[in-house]
């Protein structure tokens, strides 16, 4: 991966892709899938929505850092798989054959197989809304990756990449609300 100018990092999330967020609590690393993201400004300020229901949340609060990794559409089943199992029982890097790459500024690892990675520090947690405000410190884009289409969630177990819908309702049934 090559460095990406930090003032361009917002372009990696502006379109609202599903992201993988890595954490490291000082003992072990983990990955969680997050579909609720937001760019806060043109600088490298972002927000994600997560809370105590995610195993990685405690590590995020403890370490005060994470990496936002942006997968491509060819990783859709990995992304859904990561989101439907817990790091409390599974080493997700091993289970999904992902390579952890040491970050330069945070304890959480980058994911080598992803299209892009953004090293982030936690700057605020808005508990009422389960919003974690992040400030980017470094960003990387994988130019060598052939597939560059990002995954966009619809919210009902289906996904869009460049206008095409990928139905994973059956695979995600355990995580979807009744009636969806």
């Amino acid at each position: 991966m090559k460095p990406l100018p930090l003032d361009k990092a917002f372009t990696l999330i502006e379109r609202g892709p599903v992201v993988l967020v890595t954490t490291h609590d000082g003992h072990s690393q983990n990955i969680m899938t997050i579909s609720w993201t937001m760019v806060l400004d043109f600088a490298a300020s972002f927000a994600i929505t997560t809370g105590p229901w995610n195993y990685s949340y405690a590590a995020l609060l403890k370490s005060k850092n994470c990496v936002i990794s942006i997968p491509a559409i060819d990783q859709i089943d990995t992304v859904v798989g990561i989101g439907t199992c817990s790091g409390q029982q599974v080493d997700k890097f091993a289970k999904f054959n992902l390579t952890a790459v040491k970050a330069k500024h945070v304890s959480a690892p980058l994911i080598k197989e992803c299209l892009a990675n953004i090293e982030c520090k936690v700057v605020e947690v808005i508990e009422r809304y389960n919003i974690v405000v992040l400030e980017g410190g470094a960003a990387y884009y994988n130019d060598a990756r052939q597939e560059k289409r990002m995954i966009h969630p619809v919210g009902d177990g289906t996904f869009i990449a460049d206008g095409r819908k990928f139905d994973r309702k059956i695979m995600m049934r355990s995580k979807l609300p009744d009636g969806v």
Side-chain angles (χ1 to χ4, degrees):
M1 291 202 181
K2 68 178 186 174
L4 177 74
L6 197 52
D7 64 349
K8 301 274 189 244
F10 79 92
T11 65
L12 300 171
I13 296 183
E14 181 76 34
R15 297 160 278 199
V18 173
V19 300
L20 299 173
V21 175
T22 66
T23 57
H24 195 290
D25 65 4
H27 302 288
S28 62
Q29 58 198 14
N30 195 29
I31 314 168
M32 62 180 156
T33 299
I34 299 286
S35 60
W36 295 335
T37 62
M38 180 172 45
V39 174
L40 298 178
D41 58 32
F42 291 113
S45 295
F46 313 105
I48 61 172
T49 301
T50 187
W53 58 87
N54 278 326
Y55 178 68
S56 292
Y57 185 69
L60 184 64
L61 295 182
K62 179 181 177 183
S63 69
K64 300 283 191 222
N65 69 72
C66 66
V67 170
I68 297 174
S69 298
I70 302 168
I73 193 61
D74 59 346
Q75 297 172 291
I76 188 169
D77 292 334
T78 296
V79 168
V80 172
I82 288 168
T84 56
C85 68
S86 174
Q88 193 167 15
Q89 290 95 23
V90 174
D91 174 347
K92 295 182 188 183
F93 279 92
K95 179 175 177 135
F96 297 102
N97 297 314
L98 296 172
T99 309
V101 176
K102 185 168 177 40
K104 292 181 182 174
H105 307 286
V106 299
S107 61
L110 285 66
I111 301 175
K112 180 181 179 182
E113 292 77 11
C114 282
L115 178 61
N117 288 271
I118 307 168
E119 297 182 29
C120 297
K121 300 271 186 182
V122 175
V123 294
E124 185 177 356
V125 177
I126 305 167
E127 290 184 28
R128 179 177 178 189
Y129 300 106
N130 298 304
I131 294 173
V132 180
V133 180
L134 304 168
E135 182 178 292
Y140 310 91
Y141 188 79
N142 190 348
D143 264 337
R145 197 167 206 302
Q146 189 148 0
E147 178 60 75
K148 292 182 173 45
R149 293 176 297 155
M150 291 185 232
I151 308 164
H152 303 272
V154 174
D156 62 356
T158 62
F159 299 85
I160 296 170
D162 295 332
R164 186 171 170 209
K165 203 172 195 177
F166 296 86
D167 188 341
R168 297 296 187 272
K169 286 183 181 181
I170 293 171
M171 189 175 178
M172 292 184 63
R173 180 57 53 206
S174 67
K175 299 294 181 184
L176 296 174
D178 291 336
V180 174

